[in-house]
Amino acid sequence: MQQELDSHPQDLLAEIHNALGAEICQVLEVDHWKLIDQLTGPSGTLTKAIQERANDINSLSAYQSNLDPSKQGEQQPYNNAGRLMKTLKEERSINFLSSHGVLPKYGFPVDSVNLNILYHDHELSGSIDLSRDLKIAISEFAPPAAVVANGRVWTSYAINTVPNQSWPTYIYYTCPKCRRIVPPNRGMVSVTFNTDEAELQSCPSCGKTMQAHKFIIPQFGFSTKIDVAPKPVGDSRPKTYYATQTQFWGLEGRTERQLAEAREQQILFAQKPVSLIYSPGGQLFVLNRGSKNRGFLTCPECGFTTDRAQFNPRKGHRTKFNRPCHTKLEPVSLGHRFSTDILKITLPAHTVANPDYQDKDQASSVLYAILEGASAALDISRDDINGCVNYAADGTQELILFDDTPGGSGFSKQIYENFEQVVHEAIHQVSGICGCSFH
């Protein structure tokens, strides 16, 4: 297939133009075959899927070669590994491609990853497709979280690794005083980077020296452990490490088309200016900092990952194929970076007359009032829009509204164009009409 695509067949190019239209083809640079690069290039979705599958099969083969089927206690693991390799090799192409995000599925996820089930019983594991958009996967699949599928509870054990590649890793900051999270201000670093050597930064909100942390993007997915059988479904829900923090990263790296579509205006409310900036191509990131924000410990070699509070360093760790590994574990958070349409709102400075509200998170209150107002005024599903509070370099608070779908859906632009109507509805929503007190 790669050879065929490298020949740039004109009949295929014509079919793509017929299917997508001239405008979309121009954005995707179809005539320059950029779309194909995203599929089969060095970092293409198909390339990564094939590398991940080949790595799993090679690792299983190495695991099996270290077992002696003539020895008691090793025959069953030997046979199990063989059956699992056979399952991976014989998986239907359409299932393989769709589960790895090469072909679209329901919801058309942009960054789809799997929780690979390393278990020999094909009746239990063969029909399971545990794939999620990465924004959800860093919560639901984060080791040692468990998910229910096919009547069993499967426990995530490791973050997948691929030979000669590494997870994208970034430095972010947290303030120990006011708990603010500040996005990365530099490019990627190695997963083994020592955060003690990171540049010192002061909190833009309170001025306190912040703490540096790492987050990795687990773009190769997750796996269970080969010798751990699934558990029966019980009465309690499996534990999940929720990714509840979405942060604004910035507007860098926008294309010429996105820059041309950006808009800016000022509106007066109570004789005070409110600044609005709409733009496609806004960058945001989602963080899973683990239970109680302790983060995770992960092995950059084998991918073993666990909650920091649950790890006993004296026992060490083993790979997902149950082999000992002696690589040092790295403290990390799990993250995902995505691009979508955003609306940046900068409110004027003001004083709060009511002492009961002095210590409240006023910015978040205003943010969610505007989100509810936009949903009601413009008939936008509340699940399709979201927001966060951002702090500019000078400490100014900014409200960031964004489309909660990668690439954007046009809702932020709609709010920008009807902002006064949205604000009036937001005030109406918190006016006490529901029977609660005025907010």
Side-chain angles (χ1 to χ4, degrees), residues 121-133:
D121 190 337
H122 190 71
E123 290 187 3
L124 286 178
S125 62
S127 61
I128 297 177
D129 176 17
L130 289 175
S131 61
R132 301 284 190 276
D133 186 276

Side-chain angles (χ1 to χ4, degrees), residues 2 19 68 86 140 179 187 197 200 230 240 247 251 327 353 373 405:
Q2 181 66 61
D68 186 348
K86 185 175 185 293
E140 293 191 4
R179 308 299 180 188
E197 299 175 2
L200 293 178
T240 303
Q247 305 291 326
L251 290 170
T327 304
T405 50

Side-chain angles (χ1 to χ4, degrees), residues 156-177:
S156 180
Y157 182 80
I159 299 173
N160 292 338
T161 59
V162 170
N164 303 318
Q165 294 196 44
S166 184
W167 307 300
T169 306
Y170 296 90
I171 299 296
Y172 72 98
Y173 293 85
T174 62
C175 177
K177 182 179 179 181

